[in-house]
Amino acid sequence: MWQIWVDTGGTFTDCIAVSPEGEWVEAKVLSSSALRVRVTRVQSGDTFLIRVPWKLPDDFFAGFTCRILGKEKAWAEVVSFDAEY
């Protein structure tokens, strides 16, 4: 079972979790519920490689809605996430 601790502040929310295997995972996210990642390469029209500063399991982002900053109508749903890339 995962153990999760969350401290919500005005701008950032700090998250700490311990996996069932005892691995510690930390993340700092905007309190607005948004996560920021960096697109490192566009593979095709609907496939992107992203860089995240955390270790995450496969399909962690599946079901998330994402948008490209600065583009009002650039929304998409994440259907899969491969943590190896």
Side-chain angles (χ1 to χ4, degrees):
M1 180 178 344
W2 281 82
Q3 297 179 37
I4 300 173
W5 297 269
V6 178
D7 178 21
T8 302
T11 303
F12 290 100
T13 297
D14 295 300
C15 307
I16 299 173
V18 179
S19 75
E21 295 78 26
E23 180 182 4
W24 284 74
V25 180
E26 299 178 20
K28 181 181 282 280
V29 297
L30 293 171
S31 294
S32 65
S33 303
L35 294 172
R36 288 187 180 205
V37 299
R38 182 174 302 254
V39 173
T40 57
R41 185 171 53 191
V42 176
Q43 293 284 91
S44 66
D46 63 355
T47 304
F48 301 87
L49 293 180
I50 62 171
R51 181 174 4 133
V52 296
W54 324 284
K55 287 181 70 177
L56 299 170
D58 284 343
D59 289 329
F60 179 84
F61 291 111
F64 277 47
T65 300
C66 65
R67 71 179 175 93
I68 297 173
L69 293 178
K71 302 213 181 225
E72 189 173 323
K73 303 221 181 233
W75 292 88
E77 180 178 331
V78 178
V79 294
S80 67
F81 173 71
D82 185 342
E84 290 295 315
Y85 293 97

